[in-house]
Amino acid sequence: MDQIKELKLRHLEQLAEYTDKLYKKPDLRNLFFELTSACNEHCFHCGSNCDVPQPDELTTEEFKTILDQVKEDFDIRGVYLCITGGEPLLRRDFFEIMNYAKSLGYRWGMTSNATLITKEVAHKLAEAGMRTISVSIDGLPETHDRLRGYKRGYELAMRGVQNLIDEGAFQSVQITTVFNHENIKELPELFEVMKGIDIDSWRVINLEPIGRALTRPELMCTPEDLKTLFDFIKQARKDGYPVEYGCEHYLGLDYEVEVREWYWLCNAGVYTASIMSNGDIGGCLDIERDPRTIQGNIRNDRFSDVWNNRFEIFRRDKSGDCSKCGECEHKRFCRGGAYHSWDYKNDEPLVCMKGILFE
């Protein structure tokens, strides 16, 4: 084994020991607010099946109450609010909620399709204290619009990105792209587009078998697609471009650290929690929503009580639940993989990079 892999193994072992401690003493760093399930796009890969607002969505005052309680119970200097949806800007009270968060001292960022971000909206986002934003671009114009079910979606999103850049008030303007078996062929050309925009980073992820994507199995990435994707990210980073892979999976010794800033760790329930538009409390918003993964509801529970006393499902090594994982030499580092790609009915991973990226 070469020296680099030996060093990676030492780092991974240190991370595994740290994770064991983190299960016992979690550290809330990212709190997601799903402001609404309403969306003006209809992305085939949406993990949350967003479309129209749910009838029981939290009110303005309920979101403000959560913000008050979290500030009372946590040191919010260490907690980052991550605002998402649906499309969060569709909420009429969006700026009321976010200006209130700013007044309390919260730091926050947002995930958006950017189609609604005019110059005026970009300025209002800056005034409300937004620091970071990730905008979804899923291919060249025709492909993007088809995959997201929205005519002129690409045009309006790129206009929104430019408005954000022109505002000049944000720490990071990021673009996120979900690659599948169809749009992977556009990877080189899309990379040239990204290099021509003054964004801070390009976050690249692969289609996952969750949400609406389950209806399009033919668009799942093949092993060859995934290898192409990871080799591209690895080379782009070597060349100095701010391209990074998302937090989806453990990738083995050839790719860990090479395609993102540090080693993989599923943040759900240890660093990250989410409050859904109906008040449900969970880990990551992409995780399947069922009685095992929903940990409470803010209409009945105080968030800090749930964070401190529940979340057991996310604070354990689930590889022991799966016979295949139990026999794997990487289980100490992978722990069964990401919680959003775990099959909670059969207790096994829906996605595993072993046999694709490593043996």
Side-chain angles (χ1 to χ4, degrees):
M1 183 179 295
D2 61 38
Q3 292 181 335
I4 293 178
K5 288 187 177 181
E6 288 180 357
L7 178 62
K8 287 183 177 182
L9 278 173
R10 288 201 298 273
H11 286 166
L12 284 166
E13 185 56 43
Q14 291 170 355
L15 179 59
E17 293 175 2
Y18 172 77
T19 304
D20 289 337
K21 296 175 182 177
L22 196 58
Y23 285 159
K24 298 175 182 177
K25 192 176 181 180
D27 179 18
L28 181 66
R29 298 183 182 181
N30 301 297
L31 178 56
F32 280 79
F33 273 17
E34 181 187 60
L35 289 190
T36 181
S37 61
C39 193
N40 57 338
E41 296 190 328
H42 193 76
C43 308
F44 88 95
H45 56 263
C46 181
S48 302
N49 282 302
C50 293
D51 189 5
V52 297
Q54 299 301 307
D56 58 347
E57 291 192 339
L58 298 175
T59 66
T60 310
E61 293 307 313
E62 285 176 317
F63 271 117
K64 288 182 177 180
T65 297
I66 301 166
L67 290 167
D68 290 335
Q69 289 181 358
V70 172
K71 183 173 182 178
E72 290 173 11
D73 299 341
F74 296 86
D75 181 354
I76 63 169
R77 291 174 298 179
V79 178
Y80 199 75
L81 284 183
C82 306
I83 307 303
T84 186
E87 172 49 54
L89 287 169
L90 285 175
R91 272 196 75 123
R92 294 180 180 179
D93 57 358
F94 174 87
F95 284 106
E96 182 179 351
I97 294 171
M98 299 323 302
N99 276 302
Y100 187 72
K102 178 187 177 184
S103 74
L104 294 178
Y106 282 94
R107 300 170 304 123
W108 67 278
M110 179 171 68
T111 299
S112 172
N113 61 40
T115 59
L116 304 175
I117 301 180
T118 61
K119 290 186 180 297
E120 179 186 5
V121 170
H123 184 65
K124 290 175 70 175
L125 288 168
E127 288 185 325
M130 188 181 80
R131 296 188 177 198
T132 61
I133 186 167
S134 185
V135 175
S136 303
I137 298 291
D138 289 326
L140 298 173
E142 181 182 347
T143 300
H144 173 92
D145 291 0
R146 183 174 65 256
L147 293 176
R148 302 187 73 84
Y150 192 64
K151 292 182 179 180
R152 296 183 63 216
Y154 180 93
E155 174 192 343
L156 294 173
M158 294 298 270
R159 181 200 66 177
V161 169
Q162 193 58 54
N163 288 337
L164 292 161
I165 293 170
D166 292 344
E167 182 65 25
F170 309 109
Q171 291 180 355
S172 175
V173 177
Q174 179 188 74
I175 286 179
T176 294
T177 300
V178 180
F179 279 102
N180 59 59
H181 184 58
E182 176 186 308
N183 68 354
I184 191 74
K185 64 180 181 294
E186 297 180 353
L187 177 59
E189 193 172 351
L190 199 56
F191 184 38
E192 294 302 314
V193 173
M194 298 303 157
K195 287 193 289 185
I197 310 171
D198 190 22
I199 56 174
D200 296 283
S201 63
W202 186 26
R203 181 171 174 263
V204 177
I205 57 181
N206 55 276
L207 182 65
E208 297 280 76
I210 59 175
R212 288 196 196 117
L214 291 170
T215 67
R216 300 292 301 277
E218 76 279 6
L219 289 182
M220 292 298 163
C221 290
T222 65
E224 293 75 18
D225 295 336
L226 292 170
K227 192 72 165 52
T228 295
L229 185 63
F230 290 117
D231 284 342
F232 159 77
I233 301 171
K234 187 174 181 178
Q235 187 59 52
R237 291 177 64 83
K238 283 183 178 179
D239 294 339
Y241 293 104
V243 182
E244 61 185 52
Y245 182 61
C247 59
E248 292 183 300
H249 302 292
Y250 170 73
L251 305 175
L253 296 180
D254 287 336
Y255 291 97
E256 284 295 324
V257 184
E258 309 291 339
V259 297
R260 52 193 165 208
E261 292 301 314
W262 197 236
Y263 297 91
W264 178 80
L265 168 65
C266 186
N267 288 202
V270 291
Y271 286 147
T272 297
S274 299
I275 296 173
M276 299 163 207
S277 63
N278 66 350
D280 283 346
I281 301 169
C284 163
L285 285 170
D286 284 336
I287 294 172
E288 179 184 345
R289 303 178 188 189
D290 71 13
R292 292 182 65 187
T293 60
I294 300 300
Q295 302 299 294
N297 187 287
I298 63 94
R299 288 181 169 131
N300 306 310
D301 307 292
R302 193 174 180 96
F303 171 76
S304 59
D305 291 339
V306 176
W307 176 259
N308 291 326
N309 301 309
R310 302 182 195 176
F311 280 91
E312 296 94 340
I313 190 173
F314 303 121
R315 296 170 184 169
R316 54 186 293 274
D317 182 351
K318 61 187 178 301
S319 66
D321 298 340
C322 173
S323 58
K324 291 182 180 179
C325 292
E327 299 170 357
C328 179
E329 62 182 289
H330 295 265
K331 66 179 181 179
R332 175 82 168 134
F333 314 133
C334 178
R335 297 170 185 259
Y339 280 94
H340 78 272
S341 58
W342 183 257
D343 182 342
Y344 291 90
K345 295 180 177 64
N346 299 305
D347 279 325
E348 61 184 21
L350 294 167
V351 178
C352 179
M353 293 299 175
K354 185 176 181 181
I356 298 174
L357 301 181
F358 62 93
E359 296 300 329

